[in-house]
Amino acid sequence: MGGTVVEQSELAGRVALVTGAGQGIGEAVTRALVARGARVAALDATPDGIKKLEAEFAAGAVRHYTADVSDSRAVEAVVDDVEKNVGPLDILVNVAGVLRTSPVVEISDEDWQRTFAVNSTGVFNTSRAAARRMGERRSGAIVTVGSNAAGVPRTSMAAYAASKAAATMFTKCLGLELARNGVRCNVVSPGSTDTAMQRALWAGDEVPERVIDGDPAAYRVGIPLGRIADPSDVADAVLFLVSDRARHITMHDLYVDGGATLRA
Ligand SMILES: NC(=O)c1ccc[n+]([C@@H]2O[C@H](COP(=O)([O-])OP(=O)(O)OC[C@H]3O[C@@H](n4cnc5c(N)ncnc54)[C@H](O)[C@@H]3O)[C@@H](O)[C@H]2O)c1
């Protein structure tokens, strides 16, 4: 079908950097980009998943980079290498993130600092490195995967929610600065999505049904659409925002949470 062919080659020739690409949402985003013809530099702190992705696809489709997004020098080195060996960056998708839950009075210095180092500073490190190059070339698209927790208070999630709110506002400010350079910056804010990060929560006293139903005692709203998201639901939103179909959209925050936050 004609439409399908166009869709499948929508990102042909584009070069993308995806962080947190080794599993979960980052893996789904990587697969979706490759399926549309992009070449993807897949970055993760853990090598196993990204090496598997590199091996799975035809030569050149995925190149793996083992690095920690909180390390600005390592990030600069990766972006340099991507530009030399994969091609000039057209797309950056910030997916790498960590979730450490506990009530504020019990959050350790280490948990607070690590949460911000990865979820906020990590987004700054990769986005700054990409923005310098994209801005000069006057084209590019950046998407940061935030969280619906950035906009609604949740118990035991203060560090995570605050770090995601920082990444969200940073990405919007970057979008304003880069608008005149033709670079678009948007946020995709997922709700509960079926990945290892989410299942780690279920290992406690949460089960999928409780997440869907909500829990008034924990000030936790339910999911009106009645299901947990698949990573591909989030990847679809990312794909749209990095594509030319979204050429007039920047500084937007697209919630993919089944209505959980009522966009409050
Ligand atoms: N799963 C959910 O319910 C959910 C909901 C809202 C937002 N999110 C966000 O979506 C993103 C992806 O989440 P996921 O559920 O796929 O998580 P996940 O834990 O399954 O995968 C995260 C990936 O990021 C990598 N990573 C972690 N720290 C890193 C670092 N410092 N440098 C480089 N890579 C690093 C991990 O190795 C892992 O491969 C995260 O930013 C998360 O906060 C997830």
Side-chain angles (χ1 to χ4, degrees), residues 35-109:
R36 298 296 188 286
R39 277 172 294 144
V40 180
L43 182 156
D44 205 287
T46 307
D48 298 1
I50 47 176
K51 279 189 178 169
K52 262 192 215 149
L53 278 171
E54 184 178 275
E56 183 184 323
F57 289 105
V62 175
R63 190 181 174 101
H64 84 275
Y65 290 91
T66 307
D68 182 337
V69 291
S70 72
D71 178 344
S72 68
R73 277 198 206 166
V75 167
E76 277 294 336
V78 167
V79 174
D80 261 345
D81 192 278
V82 172
E83 294 250 325
K84 279 189 197 112
N85 294 308
V86 187
L89 255 191
D90 299 294
I91 294 166
L92 166 66
V93 189
N94 291 306
V95 189
V98 291
L99 170 64
R100 298 181 180 187
T101 52
S102 82
V104 172
V105 293
E106 289 165 24
I107 299 173
S108 67
D109 289 357

Side-chain angles (χ1 to χ4, degrees), residues 80-147:
D80 261 345
D81 192 278
V82 172
E83 294 250 325
K84 279 189 197 112
N85 294 308
V86 187
L89 255 191
D90 299 294
I91 294 166
L92 166 66
V93 189
N94 291 306
V95 189
V98 291
L99 170 64
R100 298 181 180 187
T101 52
S102 82
V104 172
V105 293
E106 289 165 24
I107 299 173
S108 67
D109 289 357
E110 206 278 327
D111 278 351
W112 177 267
Q113 281 155 12
R114 188 65 189 153
T115 300
F116 274 78
V118 178
N119 297 358
S120 313
T121 307
V123 169
F124 163 69
N125 288 337
T126 50
S127 302
R128 180 180 60 179
R132 283 178 178 148
R133 290 149 174 105
M134 290 175 175
E136 257 174 37
R137 290 192 288 265
R138 308 190 71 77
S139 95
I142 295 174
V143 169
T144 295
V145 173
S147 171

Side-chain angles (χ1 to χ4, degrees), residues 20 23 25 44-45 67-69 95 146 160 164 190-191 193 195 197-198:
Q23 64 181 43
I25 293 170
D44 205 287
D68 182 337
V69 291
V95 189
Y160 178 78
K164 290 290 186 178
T193 307
T195 67
M197 182 185 279
Q198 178 65 216

